[in-house]
Amino acid sequence: RFSQKFREVVGRWLASEASTHLLVFSMERRLPPNSELVRAVLRLFQEPVPRAALRRLERLSPHSARARVTVEWLHVREDSSNRTSLVDSRLVSLHDSGWKAFDVTEAVTFWQQLSRPRQPLLLQVTVQTEHLGPPAAGAHKLVRFASQGPAGAGQGEPQLELHTLDLGAYGAQGDCDPEAPGAEAPRCCRREMYIDLQGMKWAENWVLEPPGFLAYECVGACRQPRQPLPFKWPLLGPRQCIASETASLPMIVRVEEGGRPRPQVVSLPNMRVQSCSCSWDGAPVPRKLEP
Amino acid sequence: LSGEQIRGSLLQQLHLSQVPVLDEGDAEGLVTPAHVTAQYVALLQRSHSARSRGK
């Protein structure tokens, strides 16, 4: 309408139907010290939809008896600005009722990375109509979770389940005890391993510093939880002793520039093991909280 | 960690496809300038104090 240079297309607002709730969980002293969070589950009790309301909706829009429930971790920054991070989302049927489980492990992992004193765990739950458009308008309102609204108390309140593992029993033991009998350490630990660069043919005349370095290695076994995890996590293998933190190795090498040799500094990543830990093979690596 | 892995990482960092053939005589006379040594020591100190995320 305003320009001769390019075509304009007039759009139309399509009502976006959503209702949002904020859940607050006090987390202090909920996670035992020296424990690993294996999984966190948010359980919401979906109340049955009144038959009459359901029939009315089905008459208006036969295929809209579902709604999308999305759970986001909400972080209130120090400057009071907010940011959210999606952690789980799934469709629920309006014909259904009962406990619904959402995986909020990542939200708790983010919360653990906050600096102390930490705010409570804030979970923003949004319910959206699956099908946009006037006939299904308002369907999201039919999805009600117990303890929504001022009453708050009573059966079926939102629950947060925390599955943790005691690292005292299932974790690594720090550095290996050089006095320990036998070649193989019984429990996952970090063992000294010196790499002699001077003894490597390819490094001759090329690597000027260091002559060698202490790289360490992770050895030993990890104790496996006897009972299976209370949920099916695909592709999860046994707990293994791995390098959970590593450091780079600076070097001075000789390079040729214009036919003349000159020393140059270079840094090789992940060359030295800083710490070992027991970790499930195949477990997702927790996302790091960006500043 | 093996010698091959270290060599592979070094080649990658220097964008080389193979280990350069260097004359031994040149290496002996080579002096490392102070600023290169200072850079090396600074990186060394940082790598011993930094905690990386690892695998």
Side-chain angles (χ1 to χ4, degrees):
Chain A
R1 288 167 297 172
F2 302 117
S3 162
Q4 303 308 314
K5 287 203 208 68
F6 48 82
R7 298 174 60 79
E8 293 179 357
V9 179
V10 175
R12 178 166 67 86
W13 279 105
L14 203 59
S16 65
E17 296 283 339
S19 49
T20 301
H21 315 276
L22 195 58
L23 287 169
V24 183
F25 291 95
S26 157
M27 291 293 288
E28 287 316 320
R29 288 183 298 283
R30 297 286 182 197
L31 294 166
N34 194 28
S35 70
E36 175 184 324
L37 175 71
V38 175
R39 191 160 182 234
V41 179
L42 171 67
R43 291 193 188 278
L44 301 175
F45 188 84
Q46 182 186 346
E47 295 177 339
V49 176
R51 283 186 193 290
L54 208 51
R55 266 203 299 278
R56 201 168 39 247
L57 176 69
E58 298 232 305
R59 245 196 333 273
L60 289 172
S61 172
H63 304 297
S64 62
R66 290 197 306 179
R68 173 161 293 284
V69 179
T70 301
V71 182
E72 292 167 290
W73 175 59
L74 175 69
H75 176 211
V76 180
R77 290 202 184 89
E78 284 179 29
D79 64 6
S80 308
S81 65
N82 284 356
R83 69 165 155 185
T84 61
S85 186
L86 182 118
V87 290
D88 198 3
S89 177
R90 57 190 288 244
L91 285 170
V92 294
S93 162
L94 271 66
H95 292 285
D96 211 353
S97 66
W99 287 102
K100 302 289 175 216
F102 297 87
D103 185 334
V104 294
T105 308
E106 214 170 23
V108 179
T109 305
F110 280 147
W111 175 84
Q112 284 176 302
Q113 294 177 55
L114 292 177
S115 49
R116 292 175 191 277
R118 286 179 286 205
Q119 57 192 246
L121 178 70
L122 299 173
L123 295 177
Q124 183 169 277
V125 177
T126 305
V127 181
Q128 273 165 313
T129 312
E130 182 189 18
H131 297 292
L132 290 181
H140 68 286
K141 290 189 188 103
L142 299 178
V143 176
R144 294 189 59 76
F145 293 114
S147 80
Q148 257 173 260
Q155 196 260 343
E157 280 184 322
Q159 272 183 220
L160 181 64
E161 271 179 25
L162 300 171
H163 300 264
T164 59
L165 204 59
D166 174 19
L167 288 180
Y170 295 93
Q173 59 166 320
D175 285 349
C176 301
D177 175 6
E179 314 300 316
E184 193 59 38
R187 188 168 156 204
C188 176
C189 60
R190 187 181 75 151
R191 182 167 72 186
E192 286 198 1
M193 179 180 74
Y194 183 76
I195 301 233
D196 178 14
L197 290 173
Q198 280 183 329
M200 295 182 182
K201 191 92 181 88
W202 59 267
E204 270 175 24
N205 303 326
W206 189 24
V207 177
L208 304 175
E209 287 292 344
F213 66 99
L214 205 53
Y216 295 97
E217 58 180 344
C218 298
V219 293
C222 291
R223 193 171 150 200
Q224 308 299 324
R226 241 198 327 278
Q227 76 281 7
L229 291 175
F231 46 88
K232 282 279 158 273
W233 196 277
L235 304 176
L236 213 54
R239 286 177 72 78
Q240 291 187 1
C241 182
I242 60 149
S244 46
E245 287 187 83
T246 58
S248 56
L249 172 70
M251 280 183 155
I252 300 181
V253 294
R254 177 179 147 199
V255 295
E256 296 286 321
E257 208 166 68
R260 292 170 52 77
R262 109 177 142 72
Q264 178 180 318
V265 174
V266 65
S267 183
L268 304 190
N270 300 326
M271 280 294 139
R272 292 181 306 110
V273 174
Q274 284 180 311
S275 64
C276 304
S277 57
C278 290
S279 174
W280 264 289
D281 186 11
V285 178
R287 269 193 292 172
K288 190 165 167 49
L289 187 61
E290 295 308 322
Chain B
L1 190 63
S2 65
E4 287 68 38
Q5 282 171 312
I6 299 170
R7 182 179 61 196
S9 177
L10 186 52
L11 288 171
Q12 190 182 11
Q13 291 294 315
L14 295 172
H15 308 293
L16 294 173
S17 56
Q18 59 185 27
V19 177
V21 176
L22 299 169
D23 182 35
E24 190 170 347
D26 284 344
E28 275 161 19
L30 192 58
V31 173
T32 304
H35 72 282
V36 172
T37 304
Q39 185 190 358
Y40 173 67
V41 168
L43 275 179
L44 206 55
Q45 283 164 345
R46 198 184 313 154
S47 95
H48 278 282
S49 59
R51 309 289 296 178
S52 84
R53 281 196 52 79
K55 299 272 183 304

